[in-house]
Amino acid sequence: MRPCTGCVLNRVMMVGNDVKELMAERERLVEQLRCNGIANERVLEAILETPRHEFVPSALRREAYLDAPLPIGRAQMISQPWVVARMTELLLEPSPRRVLEVGTGSGYQAAVLARLVDEVFSVERIASLAQGAKAVFRRLGLKNIRCIHADGCSGWESEAPFEAIMVTAGAKKVPKALYPQLAEGGRLVMPVGHVIQYLLISDFSDGAQSDYSTEAVRFVPLLSGVE
């Protein structure tokens, strides 16, 4: 039986209203981030253009534009938008073109980066998360992201060097395999610490490494191996 024209129109109107409402929520989130100290307008524009609701479980769709982390399954989280924006603007300071992300998770951070750099190489240790993220990348037409299921602690040596590396899980120290994959003039951003984590910014220039820390954050632990 063919659906009545009125029913089809009602569904179209509902979808249209839903899209408008989600966009309005995204705009409010961006203004909140701006008020809370995110100054890089390119980063804010990337947040505005990236539909975070596509990267969260359907049951949490209405919470997608809260400035809060959300569970995505397998004891993993999608990061708080402010943290995503802050790590992104820190990573962009050296103007990288090729970025390695360790810890794909939902894929949201990679999607934001993909709007700001030429290529994103993302590594995820949990197969189901890697598969889910790649499906969203395809749906959104993000063709400059490459994602593999592998041990992120080992980086992606065959594609190195990278002009920037972002690690989206916390550890006491940076995995040894990552620094050799960082290009001259490159930057690494990662949450580091034990009880309290801080964002570590590590710059590599003229064969020397310089480190400094910024805001306190809380991330899931960085684990080795694959699942």
Side-chain angles (χ1 to χ4, degrees):
M1 180 181 297
R2 295 178 62 186
C4 68
T5 302
C7 294
V8 172
L9 289 175
N10 284 338
R11 282 199 294 272
V12 170
M13 290 177 65
M14 289 175 64
V15 170
N17 289 336
D18 188 51
V19 170
K20 289 180 181 179
E21 184 176 339
L22 288 169
M23 188 61 193
E25 290 177 4
R26 208 182 311 166
E27 291 171 349
R28 285 193 290 270
L29 172 63
V30 168
E31 286 307 309
Q32 183 179 355
L33 297 178
R34 184 180 284 113
C35 290
N36 288 337
I38 302 301
N40 189 311
E41 288 297 327
R42 291 183 62 223
V43 172
L44 291 170
E45 184 67 23
I47 296 287
L48 183 64
E49 293 175 352
T50 306
R52 191 173 187 246
H53 62 272
E54 295 282 357
F55 296 90
V56 303
S58 57
L60 298 176
R61 184 182 175 95
R62 288 298 173 188
E63 300 177 43
Y65 296 106
L66 298 177
D67 190 18
L70 296 170
I72 57 172
R74 302 299 299 272
Q76 303 300 302
M77 306 288 287
I78 181 174
S79 293
Q80 176 187 356
W82 187 91
V83 174
V84 170
R86 181 59 176 149
M87 291 182 73
T88 302
E89 68 176 2
L90 288 170
L91 198 78
L92 287 184
E93 286 183 10
S95 301
R97 294 175 299 171
R98 301 175 79 250
V99 173
L100 171 66
E101 179 196 33
V102 175
T104 313
S106 68
Y108 178 65
Q109 175 70 80
V112 172
L113 288 169
R115 300 178 187 279
L116 296 162
V117 302
D118 292 347
E119 296 178 280
V120 179
F121 300 81
S122 189
V123 184
E124 173 56 52
R125 65 180 296 271
I126 300 175
S128 59
L129 293 182
Q131 292 165 2
K134 286 192 282 188
V136 181
F137 299 153
R138 287 193 295 269
R139 188 161 67 244
L140 297 181
L142 298 173
K143 297 181 180 180
N144 62 333
I145 304 176
R146 291 176 59 188
C147 177
I148 59 169
H149 173 226
D151 183 353
C153 291
S154 299
W156 196 334
E157 187 175 7
S158 63
E159 293 294 341
F162 302 99
E163 293 157 337
I165 298 175
M166 178 185 289
V167 183
T168 58
K172 293 180 182 179
K173 58 184 179 180
V174 177
K176 291 181 180 179
L178 298 184
Y179 278 125
Q181 298 180 32
L182 193 61
E184 169 68 25
R187 168 171 287 189
L188 180 145
V189 177
M190 174 182 173
V192 172
H194 181 45
V195 178
I196 300 176
Q197 299 169 352
Y198 294 92
L199 288 179
L200 172 72
I201 294 88
S202 186
D203 291 327
F204 183 72
S205 181
D206 297 327
Q209 175 187 327
S210 59
D211 298 339
Y212 65 95
S213 298
T214 59
E215 295 85 359
V217 290
R218 180 178 294 179
F219 277 78
V220 297
L222 179 67
L223 301 175
S224 60
V226 295
E227 296 181 15

